[in-house]
Amino acid sequence: MADNGGVPKRPRYEVHVSLIGTVDTIPLNDLFEVLAGTGKTGALHVRSEQGLGIVYFDGGKVCAGEAGHRSGPVDDRPALVHRLFDVCFELFRFEEAAFEFEVGVQPTWPAIDTVEVPEILAETARRLAKWAEIRAT
């Protein structure tokens, strides 16, 4: 250890802590913004009585997602974007859900690209508004 005025430097330890909570305390859109803003990499598991899904982040961008019958690799970027929009629309409709973010976890298949969180949130908001209109009629 290097000399720092007679005080030895302490070794640096990297701590990986899972983020656990419920969507009534931290809404998913806020959580996505936090994960994007801090450049996190890992898997966001969302569970409710309505279903479950996983959204994978890579450096604060979304690289994969799965929910319901939507799982596994996709062929190209348009398919990835479509998958992520569908998965997020499903997960954001959960009325009561718990989440856990596992740092460093990636999909078991190669991620072909990433999508910016603001793009996903904008499309999800658009779909949720349309869904609310449909349900109101």
Side-chain angles (χ1 to χ4, degrees):
M1 307 244 166
D3 182 23
N4 186 14
V7 178
K9 287 186 178 179
R10 293 185 176 166
R12 293 187 69 166
Y13 296 101
E14 195 167 318
V15 178
H16 295 283
V17 178
S18 291
L19 179 61
I20 300 170
T22 59
V23 297
D24 63 326
T25 57
I26 304 176
L28 287 180
N29 57 325
D30 292 349
L31 186 57
F32 271 56
E33 289 174 349
V34 167
L35 295 172
T38 55
K40 294 298 182 194
T41 296
L44 177 63
H45 301 264
V46 181
R47 295 174 180 86
S48 84
E49 290 183 7
Q50 297 164 278
L52 59 98
I54 306 171
V55 177
Y56 297 94
F57 287 78
D58 185 10
K61 299 176 184 176
V62 181
C63 65
E66 46 189 334
H69 66 280
R70 297 171 207 88
S71 184
V74 294
D75 294 329
D76 53 26
R77 180 174 173 75
L80 173 65
V81 171
H82 184 76
R83 162 83 58 82
L84 294 176
F85 287 169
D86 286 349
V87 165
C88 289
F89 176 61
E90 182 173 336
L91 299 180
F92 278 61
R93 286 184 296 150
F94 291 171
E95 294 175 13
E96 295 181 13
F99 64 80
E100 178 179 2
F101 183 75
E102 290 184 282
V103 175
V105 174
Q106 288 291 284
T108 58
W109 60 88
I112 60 168
D113 206 347
T114 59
V115 179
E116 297 281 346
V117 165
E119 181 180 355
I120 292 170
L121 294 180
E123 176 61 17
T124 302
R126 186 194 70 76
R127 290 183 180 196
L128 290 171
K130 188 70 174 172
W131 181 247
E133 287 177 22
I134 291 168
R135 292 185 68 191
T137 58

